[in-house]
Amino acid sequence: MMETTGWTVVAAAGGGDAGGVTGWATDLMERLGAPGAGIAIALENLFPPLPSEVILPLAGFTAARGEMSLIAALIWTTLGSVVGALALYGIGGAIGRDRVRAVAAWLPLVKLDDLDRTEAWFARHGAKAVFFGRMIPIFRSLISVPAGVERMPLGPFLLLTTLGSALWNTVFVLAGYWLGDNWHVVEDSVGVYSKAVLAVVVLAMVVFLAVRIIRGRQNRRSAGASGVTRPDIPRPDLGRYDYHDHGPQGRSGRTGNHDFPPPRHRR
């Protein structure tokens, strides 16, 4: 009987090319079993270009072929998600709020008020952001960084991350388990979802930059129309009259120099 290996699993699944991410993940699961799936997902959290929509259904398909236990696949992939998220949380904590604000102050189109609003939003909705963020491509990894920057309590962070990751992982592992040889269909379906999310993010960034540039130009025009002078241009010298010879307060009872001449005396 021919021995079944991870590479033949990929071929049987219709994956075509046994190289790339699919071949790497398959080989890792072949060598380590369910822990290999956990390691792959942990790395996917740290390096978002590694697609979970490939690794998770492949783990489910591998479990369906008897290469690993389904329960073990669910547990190890969730554990890998939590480990990866915890590493990013630590990176966010190491960066810290002060460094983020210093970098933001250096960026030309970013204002500290933007960070203040973001921090206020995260203070109100951080728990929901961490939980639901685990189910959104791109953000499912990156959401751990602001949680670390804002020093979100570690206990709630781990709980919400575990629950959100378990829900996301279970859906995709079970999809691969039930689809069998057609597990790669999941990648095609989620790929559309991921591209839609990416398009929304890019569009939001373009709108933000356009609005910021337009408002900046309008503010400069308004300042020019109101006659506001630049502080680096000296004001013209209108002449000053010193009449300290009339006493410490002068004839008018005022002290110091003034921009108008002293009154004339009638003879």
Side-chain angles (χ1 to χ4, degrees), residues 101-112:
R101 295 183 71 85
V103 172
W106 177 78
L107 296 176
L109 295 177
V110 178
K111 300 179 180 179
L112 292 181

Side-chain angles (χ1 to χ4, degrees), residues 65-121:
R65 291 179 60 86
E67 301 292 330
M68 68 175 75
S69 165
L70 177 61
I71 298 300
L74 294 173
I75 292 175
W76 277 99
T77 53
T78 300
L79 180 61
S81 296
V82 173
V83 170
L86 190 59
L88 291 175
Y89 176 91
I91 292 174
I95 294 173
R97 179 174 177 269
D98 292 340
R99 289 190 178 92
V100 171
R101 295 183 71 85
V103 172
W106 177 78
L107 296 176
L109 295 177
V110 178
K111 300 179 180 179
L112 292 181
D113 291 343
D114 299 328
L115 286 184
D116 293 337
R117 287 190 290 269
T118 302
E119 290 176 349
W121 182 90

Side-chain angles (χ1 to χ4, degrees), residues 142-176:
L142 300 180
I143 191 61
S144 301
V145 177
V149 171
E150 294 299 321
R151 297 293 198 276
M152 183 178 185
L154 185 58
F157 171 78
L158 287 175
L159 176 62
L160 294 168
T161 298
T162 301
L163 293 176
S165 299
L167 183 58
W168 174 269
N169 293 356
T170 298
V171 169
F172 285 94
V173 171
L174 290 180

Side-chain angles (χ1 to χ4, degrees), residues 130-148:
V130 170
F131 176 75
F132 291 106
R134 299 301 304 174
M135 306 172 209
I136 302 177
I138 302 173
F139 292 100
R140 65 186 308 271
S141 298
L142 300 180
I143 191 61
S144 301
V145 177

